[in-house]
Amino acid sequence: MRPEESFIGQPVRSLQTMLRVIAESDELQPSVIPDGIYGPQTMTAVSTFQRRNGLPITGITNQETWEQIVAVYESALVAVGPVEPLEIILDPNQVIRQGEANPNLYLVQAILIVLADMYESISAPAVTGILDIPTANALTEFQSLALLPATGELDRETWRHLARHYPMATIPKKQNNL
């Protein structure tokens, strides 16, 4: 899907894009191809939307219909759009060392637990928010696997590798049907 800014000055294409996103999360809403032409498919999609949302069924997008489409579209984006990324904030040279507490460690420890399930060589730490000995050990084990300096400390490079490995580790393991 094109970025929203590419539809500035193209209200029909914007309408069609919103209707298409709504259709992705609602199987009863007809989808349209955003071609910029307010043709029969667009009119049908608008009429269906109006009927399903208690609006006068005209197939024409007046202000009331537009505003309702925008509201439903924004909700649909949550369901079908990309998940908002989560970035931890570490200062450029910040290093979290053993014994230090930091709110980011809750997330790091949770990631290490998931990675420990995937890689037998990583031990799962408890979630404490403190870079304790088990967390330092798990970080060292992960750093060794990632070919990073095995310090047991959390720095930006270690975080970058954790963030890249985590999505792969969350893919469900295939069930062995043998």
Coordinates of all heavy atoms in Angstrom, one line a residue, residues 6 14 19 25 45 60 81 98 173:
S6 N 1.0 10.0 -0.5 CA 1.0 9.9 -1.9 C -0.4 10.1 -2.5 O -0.6 10.2 -3.7 CB 1.5 8.6 -2.4 OG 0.7 7.5 -2.0
S14 N -8.0 8.2 -2.2 CA -7.9 8.0 -0.7 C -9.1 7.3 -0.2 O -9.0 6.4 0.7 CB -7.9 9.4 -0.1 OG -6.7 10.1 -0.4
L19 N -11.5 2.2 1.9 CA -12.4 1.1 1.8 C -11.7 -0.2 1.6 O -12.2 -1.2 2.1 CB -13.4 1.4 0.6 CG -14.4 2.5 0.7 CD1 -15.0 2.9 -0.6 CD2 -15.4 2.2 1.8
S25 N -10.3 -6.1 6.9 CA -10.7 -6.5 8.3 C -12.2 -6.8 8.4 O -12.6 -7.2 9.5 CB -10.3 -5.4 9.3 OG -11.1 -4.3 9.1
A45 N -19.2 -0.3 -3.0 CA -18.5 -0.4 -1.8 C -19.0 0.7 -0.8 O -19.2 0.5 0.4 CB -17.0 -0.3 -2.0
I60 N -23.1 7.7 -2.8 CA -22.3 9.0 -2.9 C -21.6 9.2 -1.5 O -22.2 9.0 -0.5 CB -23.2 10.2 -3.2 CG1 -24.1 9.9 -4.5 CG2 -22.4 11.5 -3.3 CD1 -23.3 9.7 -5.7
G81 N -2.9 -3.2 9.8 CA -1.7 -2.5 9.6 C -0.5 -3.1 10.3 O -0.7 -4.1 11.1
Q98 N 26.4 -5.4 35.1 CA 25.9 -6.3 36.2 C 25.6 -5.5 37.4 O 26.4 -4.7 37.9 CB 26.9 -7.4 36.4 CG 26.3 -8.5 37.3 CD 27.2 -9.7 37.4 OE1 27.9 -10.0 36.4 NE2 27.2 -10.4 38.5
K173 N 7.0 -23.2 16.6 CA 7.7 -24.4 16.1 C 6.6 -25.3 15.5 O 5.5 -25.5 16.0 CB 8.3 -25.1 17.2 CG 9.5 -24.3 17.8 CD 10.1 -25.1 19.0 CE 11.2 -24.3 19.6 NZ 11.8 -24.9 20.8

